[in-house]
Amino acid sequence: MPALACCVDAAPPPGYAFAGDISFPAPVDFTDVPLPTTDDNTSHWSPSLSAALYNVDGWGGPYFAVNAAGNISVRSHGSATLSHQEIDLLKIVKKASDPKSIGGLGLQLPLIVRFPDVLKNRLECLQAAFDYAIQSEGYGSHYQGVYPVKCNQDRFVVEDIVKFGSPFRFGLEAGSKPELLLAMSCLCKGNPDALLICNGFKDAEYISLALVANKLALNTVIVLEQEEEVDLIVELSKKLCIKPVIGLRAKLRTKHSGHFGGTSGEKGKFGLTTAQILRVVKKLDVAGMLDCLQLLHFHIGSQIPSTALLADGVGEAAQIYCELVRLGANMRVIDIGGGLGIDYDGSKSCDSDISVGYSLEEYAAAVVHAVQCVCDRRSVKNPVICSESGRAIVSHQSILVFEAVGTSSTVGGVSTAFSAPYVAGDLSEDYRFLSEAAFGGDYESCLAYTEELKERCVEQFKQGAVCMEQLAAVDGLCELVRKAVGAGEPVRRYHVNLSVFTSIPDAWGIEQVFPIIPIHRLDEKPSVRGILSDLTCDSDGKIDKFINGESSLPLHEVEGGSYYLGMFLGGAYEEALGGFHNLFGGPSVVRVSQSDGPHSFAVTRAVPGPSCGDVLRVMQHQPELMFETLKHRAYEYVSHDNAAVLASGLARTFDRMPYLVPLSSFGDADAAAAPEDEGVPWSY
């Protein structure tokens, strides 16, 4: 295909010339090109259209919705939330980030907003689902769950679960010694019948600690993950004179084929094979401790996609449970592990790692029915059903809010004026073809010609035949043509005040997709599409995969004021997995409860995110000594008065969060942590 005419706004400087130096008529006025017809309603938009665009009802119901003001609202009590109890998320963000001088909390973004009322509702709904299934089936025992603290070890999250779950005998699961210590401490205030499940690889110290928990009247079960652990339990229990309650984790043949099914099947990381289970039973029998074996545990993977797979695995485990009863074990509990999934994209799909094709009620019904069928057929007493549903309990209770601080596109815009055209060779025929194609509606040819022109001019630029101004003008022309023919703008890059590695590590590590949407301006139609690029100096520090399989997100123009985005359903794992890439620490955190006040909420706790000094300490640096070194340097190289101001600015930097601070905040006493008359920290 021949090259196309190229227009710039000034003559090329000496040394830069096109192949031919001929004059050419001014470029066609593309503003008069007839636009292609579209079915989009560009003149009207509404919050309900935004809710549909982002599928808020699909993944967010019943906790999140779009209100009449075009903001995200939070329904803390789920479907039982009354209209006057809905909380406007934007008002929370304003309350948290506004300066103290005007009634705010002076916190810097990014921000995690926790809703303990949502957490309470999730626990109640899970319990209610199992209670209903048990009653409907006439099941001969009860359900009591445990929360695996690895999902989110935050003190207040764990304490809330123990408090809210106390009426249901809800317990905790630990997988390491620190997790066991925090679980023991929290359950001292919980229901005495609540289970404390001890999973994970164990050494003598772990097992001794679990035995001590039993001595402290905590309902502790030590679950065997490896065959060798039974020898330690027998030895240490006799040495400490503490009778243990023992469980074992079975390796099922049932396998979850999705990304999260790596812990299932015969080659799974944890659990005992059939032969190993038989050897454990024999060892316990010989030691006179077979009556201590009371729980069977299994786990076929997180995000179980369908109740068919779930029922298959539970049915297999129930057979093992009945076999253990036949072998003489004093079995009481079947622990079905985790796996209760979250519908991250609202598609209710059984063929996706980010969705599930069932409700809480359907999940509970499948479990109860599968256990009962096997046990009744084998004439075995129905066991207590336990689950370790972490993701399903804590995912909804927190929202990560962050700010877009700017945008960039693949082109520089169309600001260049094409008043004095210069043409690359004698290309009049191709130029006329472009004009005719544009006015004739052959938009595909227009776009193809302009893209080829861009590629050709880039090659000429590399060879020194085209100058920078000319190359920029070509970019502008190509963008002008795209807009004129209705092709739209290329996907923009939205720069967000966030570290993906710290706050959304699963998006980077396993390409987990979370619902991310603007939390306000949802009464406006999004005019562009974008991907999110974080602050880190890493090309992986971006999000370009979104729900519904989209590679970009509908977004609004960033116009002067703040533009806030929210990541939802991220209350599980993200905080525990977050790192310190580029020494960006965690976000600020507020806990918000529904109240009867004018704004329907009360902030019950506010914690600023880690400062620069805090994250430096994590990597063994000493901020105090670092500051003294820099202060000494300041007095050595700067005049005395200016050195004092400079040192003061350095001190404030150590105390700030690593994230960007809006320029408007520097003059504020609360945000800058400095006297109001000092202005920006580096002025002197």
Side-chain angles (χ1 to χ4, degrees), residues 234-282:
V234 170
E235 177 186 348
L236 291 169
S237 62
K238 291 181 177 179
K239 182 178 180 180
L240 297 173
C241 298
I242 301 173
K243 188 173 183 177
V245 176
I246 300 173
L248 59 83
R249 178 168 176 171
K251 262 182 188 172
L252 302 187
R253 311 300 174 95
T254 303
K255 184 170 176 57
H256 172 8
S257 60
H259 170 82
F260 297 102
T263 54
S264 63
E266 294 181 272
K267 297 181 180 180
K269 179 178 179 181
F270 294 106
L272 307 178
T273 64
T274 302
Q276 289 174 318
I277 291 173
L278 290 172
R279 287 198 294 267
V280 165
V281 169
K282 184 176 182 180

Side-chain angles (χ1 to χ4, degrees), residues 260-343:
F260 297 102
T263 54
S264 63
E266 294 181 272
K267 297 181 180 180
K269 179 178 179 181
F270 294 106
L272 307 178
T273 64
T274 302
Q276 289 174 318
I277 291 173
L278 290 172
R279 287 198 294 267
V280 165
V281 169
K282 184 176 182 180
K283 286 182 180 180
L284 290 174
D285 192 23
V286 170
M289 295 175 60
L290 188 54
D291 62 325
C292 296
L293 181 55
Q294 300 181 18
L295 178 145
L296 174 69
H297 172 45
F298 68 94
H299 180 62
I300 58 175
S302 188
Q303 281 288 110
I304 297 174
S306 69
T307 54
L309 175 62
L310 173 69
D312 189 28
V314 173
E316 180 187 351
Q319 292 287 357
I320 297 174
Y321 180 92
C322 292
E323 285 295 298
L324 290 171
V325 172
R326 181 182 65 82
L327 293 170
N330 185 27
M331 301 300 291
R332 296 188 306 109
V333 182
I334 185 166
D335 179 353
I336 65 173
L340 175 54
I342 292 294
D343 193 358

